[in-house]
């Protein structure tokens, strides 16, 4: 019976479905060509690809009147519905109260682990319940409240908005954000959304299409540049990414640009080459500004579940990650992996994404995330 109770409460972990964070359209913006010498020559065997590539349109945001009808917490709750649907469906109507014993605690722990929260979080939640409720009757509501409390306390210290103050024009302008992550995680789309947010704050932004191995990534960033009004520097497919970073930084510095966001390749299957490329980019930037890059932001796709752990480990080893953005939480039942990531790496969490529009990428708030994940209504105290 315990097994059935907690199975209904949390559900089985579905198979992840890979899907794009945002489709991409045919670009029409102009690239800014530069050719500055750099102390390291471009990679041997670089190739050029001047053929046109067909890409999907970037989705337009819904009308403002429609967006105003939904608070961010409402959108977050809807986006996390696949992760929380078993928590918020009619368990109370079927099982009003159960006694919490060793068997039910073990079943709960197993199901929390299969929901991608990780072993440490699962043990903390079951231990907290056992302390106050062992051999006592317990409702599904009490389990959800305990889950939300533990998730919130784990994640709250990691709330860190990506705030960039440029009003006093500090000496290290531009502020350099190096964006990293595997192909398909939504990295390029996240760059576009961040560019829009920074532009809305009145900051000037330059985008650098540093994923020079994928024509689609260059084209997609060109579209976001046009859409947001941010300038873009790009080169032909196969060009040296470090040389591009050099050009982008020197242009941004000369123009007094506030923020430079650099896209990078995400070929994790070729870890050695990726490590060499990212190290070269960082080395070139530090010769221009010893404090750069000022942020190294890892974009992770929630749909990959526990694979996000290995990705975070690999990129931390390669590039020294300073913060996270978690995308595609609306497309998976594996949102609990953010808790497992927090337990293992304790990296600051800047943003989470639950949809395709710019407003669906929002600064991370632990309590709101925890309540949405646990299926607790936004109006309930």
């Amino acid at each position: 019976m315990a097994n059935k109770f907690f199975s209904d409460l949390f559900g089985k972990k579905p198979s992840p479905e890979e899907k794009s964070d945002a489709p991409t359209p045919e670009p029409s913006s102009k690239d800014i060509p530069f050719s500055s010498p750099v102390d390291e020559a471009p990679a041997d065997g670089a190739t050029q690809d001047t053929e046109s590539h067909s890409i999907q349109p970037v989705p337009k945001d819904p009308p403002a009147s429609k967006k105003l009808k939904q608070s961010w917490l409402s959108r977050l709750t809807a986006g996390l519905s696949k992760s929380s649907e078993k928590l918020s469906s009619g368990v109370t109507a079927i099982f009003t109260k159960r006694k919490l014993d060793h068997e039910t605690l073990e079943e709960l722990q197993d199901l929390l682990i299969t929901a991608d929260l990780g072993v440490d979080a699962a043990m903390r939640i079951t231990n907290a319940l056992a302390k106050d409720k062992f051999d006592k009757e317990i409702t599904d509501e009490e389990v959800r409240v305990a889950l939300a409390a533990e998730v919130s306390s784990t994640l709250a210290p990691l709330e860190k908005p990506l705030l960039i103050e440029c009003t006093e024009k500090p000496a290290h302008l531009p502020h350099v954000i190096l964006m990293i992550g595997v192909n398909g995680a939504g990295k390029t789309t996240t760059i576009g959304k961040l560019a829009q947010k920074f532009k809305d704050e009145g900051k000037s932004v330059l985008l650098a299409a540093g994923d020079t191995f994928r024509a689609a990534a260059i084209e997609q960033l060109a579209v976001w540049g046009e859409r947001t009004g941010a300038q873009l520097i790009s080169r032909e497919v196969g060009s040296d990414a470090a040389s591009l970073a050099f050009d982008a930084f020197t242009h941004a510095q000369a123009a007094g640009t506030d923020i430079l966001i650099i896209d990078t390749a995400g070929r994790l299957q070729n870890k050695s080459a990726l490590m060499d490329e990212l190290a070269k980019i960082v080395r070139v930037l530090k010769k221009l500004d010893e404090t750069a890059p000022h942020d190294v932001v890892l974009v992770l796709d929630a749909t990959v579940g526990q694979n996000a752990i290995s990705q975070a480990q690999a990129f931390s080893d390669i590039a020294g990650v300073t913060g996270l953005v978690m995308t595609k939480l609306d497309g998976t039942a594996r949102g609990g992996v953010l808790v497992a990531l927090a337990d293992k790496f304790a990296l600051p969490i800047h943003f989470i994404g639950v949809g395709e529009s710019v407003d669906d990428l929002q600064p991370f708030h632990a309590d709101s995330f925890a309540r949405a994940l646990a299926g607790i209504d936004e109006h309930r105290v």
Side-chain angles (χ1 to χ4, degrees):
M1 190 65 106
N3 185 36
K4 181 170 179 18
F5 170 64
F6 288 115
S7 293
D8 285 339
L9 182 59
F10 291 97
K12 296 180 179 178
K13 179 174 72 172
S15 299
E17 295 180 3
E18 297 287 340
K19 67 177 188 177
S20 173
D21 195 38
T24 55
E26 189 70 28
S28 58
S29 62
K30 300 293 185 181
D31 291 349
I32 305 174
F34 287 94
S35 180
S36 296
V38 67
D39 65 328
E40 301 179 67
D44 293 337
T47 59
Q48 295 186 358
D49 183 356
T50 57
E51 295 179 0
S52 60
H53 297 265
S54 176
I55 51 179
Q56 298 296 318
V58 169
K60 295 182 178 179
D61 290 343
S65 59
K66 183 176 180 180
K67 288 192 291 184
L68 288 174
K69 293 179 182 178
Q70 273 194 316
S71 69
W72 163 241
L73 184 54
S74 294
R75 298 205 305 277
L76 178 60
T77 301
L80 284 169
S81 61
K82 289 185 179 180
S83 295
S84 67
E85 60 185 357
K86 291 297 181 181
L87 289 169
S88 56
S89 62
V91 176
T92 303
I94 303 172
F95 299 98
T96 55
K97 291 186 177 182
R98 311 283 319 163
K99 272 195 174 183
L100 194 67
D101 55 20
H102 289 296
E103 182 184 355
T104 54
L105 282 171
E106 185 177 345
E107 293 294 335
L108 173 59
Q109 191 174 101
D110 289 344
L111 286 164
L112 289 170
I113 292 170
T114 61
D116 284 302
L117 275 80
V119 174
D120 292 342
M123 291 182 65
R124 290 197 302 271
I125 293 166
T126 53
N127 288 342
L129 286 169
K131 181 179 178 181
D132 298 325
K133 290 291 183 178
F134 189 77
D135 205 28
K136 297 178 182 178
E137 292 180 332
I138 188 168
T139 66
D140 65 302
E141 177 71 10
E142 290 171 308
V143 175
R144 289 201 298 270
V145 169
L147 169 61
E150 181 54 42
V151 170
S152 181
S153 65
T154 299
L155 297 177
L158 304 179
E159 285 184 14
K160 186 182 178 183
L162 194 58
L163 300 177
I164 300 172
E165 299 297 334
C166 303
T167 53
E168 297 180 2
K169 296 295 181 185
H172 68 64
L173 278 181
H175 186 101
V176 181
I177 304 175
L178 189 66
M179 301 293 291
I180 61 178
V182 300
N183 295 338
K187 175 165 46 74
T188 305
T189 298
T190 298
I191 291 172
K193 293 177 180 180
L194 290 177
Q196 183 65 68
K197 290 181 181 296
F198 292 139
K199 292 286 287 186
D200 290 345
E201 294 171 2
K203 298 179 175 69
S204 54
V205 179
L206 177 65
L207 306 178
D211 186 355
T212 57
F213 283 81
R214 292 193 305 131
I218 298 172
E219 293 173 357
Q220 187 180 6
L221 207 59
V223 174
W224 278 107
E226 181 177 90
R227 179 177 176 180
T228 62
Q231 285 189 306
L232 170 73
I233 290 183
S234 68
R235 285 190 177 168
E236 296 85 358
V237 173
S239 298
D240 180 59
S243 181
L244 174 66
F246 178 97
D247 290 342
F249 186 95
T250 54
H251 174 74
Q253 191 174 55
T257 303
D258 295 321
I259 300 170
L260 168 62
I261 308 178
I262 304 175
D263 193 7
T264 61
R267 307 176 317 283
L268 196 56
Q269 68 275 15
N270 191 347
K271 186 176 178 180
S272 177
L274 179 61
M275 182 183 297
D276 291 343
E277 180 178 283
L278 289 175
K280 185 177 176 182
I281 291 172
V282 171
R283 192 160 59 246
V284 168
L285 289 172
K286 286 191 177 299
K287 287 185 177 181
L288 297 166
D289 177 354
E290 63 181 11
T291 66
H294 307 102
D295 292 288
V296 181
V297 178
L298 173 61
V299 180
L300 294 171
D301 175 354
T303 66
V304 302
Q306 289 295 307
N307 284 337
I309 303 290
S310 60
Q311 290 178 17
Q313 185 66 66
F315 279 102
S316 293
D317 294 342
I318 291 170
V321 178
T322 63
L324 300 177
V325 174
M326 178 68 79
T327 66
K328 306 186 188 180
L329 284 162
D330 58 316
T332 183
R334 303 178 123 184
V337 72
L338 198 56
V339 181
L341 284 163
D343 276 334
K344 185 168 180 63
F345 301 103
L347 287 166
I349 305 168
H350 299 312
F351 290 91
I352 56 174
V354 294
E356 295 182 344
S357 76
V358 171
D359 284 342
D360 288 326
L361 182 74
Q362 288 288 329
F364 177 72
H365 296 290
D367 188 62
S368 297
F369 177 85
R371 291 170 66 86
L373 181 67
I376 297 177
D377 187 89
E378 64 177 298
H379 302 297
R380 193 181 305 164
V381 178

